[in-house]
Amino acid sequence: MDSLELRPEAAFEIGHAIKAACQPLPDPDESVAFGAFFEQFADARVVLLGEASHGTSEFYRARAAITRNLITHHGFNIVAVETDWPDASRIDRYVRHRGAGRYDEDSFARFPTWMWRNREVGEFIDWLRAHNEALPIERRAEFRGLDVYSLRSSIAAVLHYLDRVDPEGAAMARRRYGCLTPWQSEPAWYGRAVISGERDPCEDDVVAQLEELLSRQFDYAAKDGEDFADAAQNARIVRAAEQYYRIMYRGSNDSWNLRDRHMFETLQHLLERRGPDAKLIVWAHNSHIGDAAATAMGWRGQFNIGELCRTAFGDSAVLIGFGTDRGSVAAADDWDAPMQIKTVLPSRPDSYERVFRHTGIARSLIDLREPGDVREALSQPRLERAIGVIYRPETELQSHYFEAVLPEQFDAYVWFEDTRAITPLPSSRPHGVPETYPFGV
């Protein structure tokens, strides 16, 4: 970084320079008014909505308001979020009125439960269910998960499906997945055993099972296309999860890239299955939806959903980041530790967050797509903050800041000067040991 360009007074000067381009926003609880500001992005096929933390109420409520507008008025019909497919599939059945499905205390029961089991998400789920009720089934908006971590529950879902439609096929699947059975509660141990030479990889078995399932698509899908598609995606997840846990000890780049490649390919499957009228909204962390090529992540070899979407969809993908200066957040000290309401420190003087604080606007939207003075003013690399499910304010610079070029990272940026933690909902006791592993956010 150029210390002269990033001197503390530079943030004030840049904030003053971009202030006129920042559109003041109403409170996101004014859902109709708030969502209307984002109609300028409605021509896209994929709109990616970020968050600077996994536990901030304003980010969830803002994404809900934007999504409601895009679904109601602009034909968007898929919401895909940074969570496990089986959990989201249960919610999808609920919101699309497809039989058994609930958003209750058993939803999102693994750490971090608060990330998707909170009042803000619950209110959006209830809205989506009510919106869908009067629509024909083919026009109802879906709720889907993108992530790769659900090894155990995805295996169970494939076996449950095959038990119902093809008992002989289920027996073969059990033999193939049996290679992974000892590791389902602690999949990280599987990766450790493979890399140490104590265990042969299970890759051939899980790939063979996916290929077998897909080869029977005509027969299986004729019975229930929705259920087959769900089983096929769970089989893809088992394949990806096996790879993820096997390579995670090689380094964070390999595991990060595999995870985001999987999430992007899931997004593609959703669009392809829905057809030419499919329009999709992503809810995920800024680190996944901003273009990694414009950040320190990309400079060290990582890519993400945002970068892959820009490559695949061009201007038909819109990447919208979110940021805050201070407030509170729901987060933990360590992986699998209890959730706490933590104080978010005011942003650093050499950060993008401090630039937007100096605009003096409490809530704002800035469009970064057009060349000109705004992009030029923000084009110097600066620090940007990322809080995941873990927040360590005592080591905030090392743990939560990274370099980025904001106008290349995002097409637009939503700013909240002061934010508050989400409100968790009660959940059941976690089922087994968490399958996630604390790489990335």
Side-chain angles (χ1 to χ4, degrees), residues 169-408:
M172 176 58 75
R174 280 186 169 84
R175 287 194 289 272
R176 288 171 174 151
Y177 287 156
C179 178
L180 287 167
T181 298
W183 318 98
Q184 287 187 52
S185 293
E186 286 282 7
W189 292 359
Y190 163 73
R192 189 180 301 127
V194 170
I195 203 167
S196 66
E198 298 173 17
R199 175 80 191 201
D200 291 333
C202 300
E203 181 179 16
D204 291 346
D205 288 322
V206 299
V207 169
Q209 183 53 48
L210 174 59
E211 291 175 347
E212 171 71 15
L213 189 67
L214 295 177
S215 74
R216 301 290 305 277
Q217 177 174 356
F218 182 79
D219 294 334
Y220 290 161
K223 300 174 184 179
D224 188 323
E226 288 268 4
D227 286 350
F228 170 77
D230 184 72
Q233 181 58 26
N234 277 299
R236 293 186 188 100
I237 291 166
V238 175
R239 178 193 61 183
E242 185 277 332
Q243 293 175 318
Y244 179 87
Y245 290 110
R246 182 159 41 82
I247 70 172
M248 59 188 281
Y249 292 101
R250 297 179 191 170
S252 59
N253 279 8
D254 288 342
S255 55
W256 176 278
N257 289 346
L258 186 149
R259 182 185 175 206
D260 271 56
R261 171 71 71 181
H262 169 82
M263 290 198 281
F264 172 71
E265 289 176 349
T266 301
L267 180 157
Q268 288 183 304
H269 286 303
L270 291 169
L271 289 170
E272 290 166 5
R273 187 169 186 280
R274 188 85 189 209
D277 294 330
K279 300 183 76 174
L280 185 147
I281 303 161
V282 174
W283 291 18
H285 197 276
N286 284 348
S287 57
H288 294 294
I289 70 94
D291 189 336
T295 73
M297 293 168 49
W299 304 336
R300 63 174 181 258
Q302 295 179 343
F303 56 77
N304 63 3
I305 308 171
E307 182 178 356
L308 294 172
C309 280
R310 273 190 172 164
T311 300
F313 302 112
D315 292 342
S316 292
V318 173
L319 287 49
I320 303 178
F322 287 67
T324 186
D325 178 64
R326 62 191 182 275
S328 62
V329 66
D333 287 336
D334 293 292
W335 201 257
D336 205 25
M339 189 215 81
Q340 302 175 45
I341 304 300
K342 292 171 163 269
T343 298
V344 177
L345 300 178
S347 57
R348 289 178 53 86
D350 49 355
S351 68
Y352 279 111
E353 287 83 0
R354 184 61 65 91
V355 168
F356 281 88
R357 172 175 161 178
H358 282 309
T359 65
I361 304 174
R363 294 178 297 269
S364 67
L365 166 66
I366 188 167
D367 191 332
L368 301 169
R369 293 175 294 182
E370 295 299 322
D373 293 342
V374 169
R375 283 182 61 90
E376 185 176 348
L378 294 169
S379 64
Q380 174 72 25
R382 303 183 73 83
L383 292 178
E384 182 182 319
R385 182 162 54 192
I387 300 172
V389 296
I390 295 168
Y391 181 43
R392 296 175 175 143
E394 66 279 6
T395 59
E396 191 180 59
L397 175 60
Q398 298 88 343
S399 301
H400 299 289
Y401 278 97
F402 62 96
E403 274 192 282
V405 181
L406 196 81
E408 297 176 12

Side-chain angles (χ1 to χ4, degrees), residues 25 38 40 71 74 83 85 88 126 151 162 196 240 255 276 290 304 317 323 393 401:
L25 293 171
F38 295 82
Q40 59 192 297
I71 289 174
H74 301 286
T83 195
W85 177 274
D126 287 342
L151 178 65
L162 289 173
S196 66
S255 55
N304 63 3
Y401 278 97

Side-chain angles (χ1 to χ4, degrees), residues 98-119:
R98 293 188 55 245
R102 293 286 183 272
Y103 183 72
D104 57 19
E105 66 276 3
D106 290 323
S107 303
F108 308 111
R110 287 195 295 103
F111 179 90
T113 57
W114 68 90
M115 183 173 163
W116 297 109
R117 177 135 191 83
N118 57 65
R119 184 179 66 189

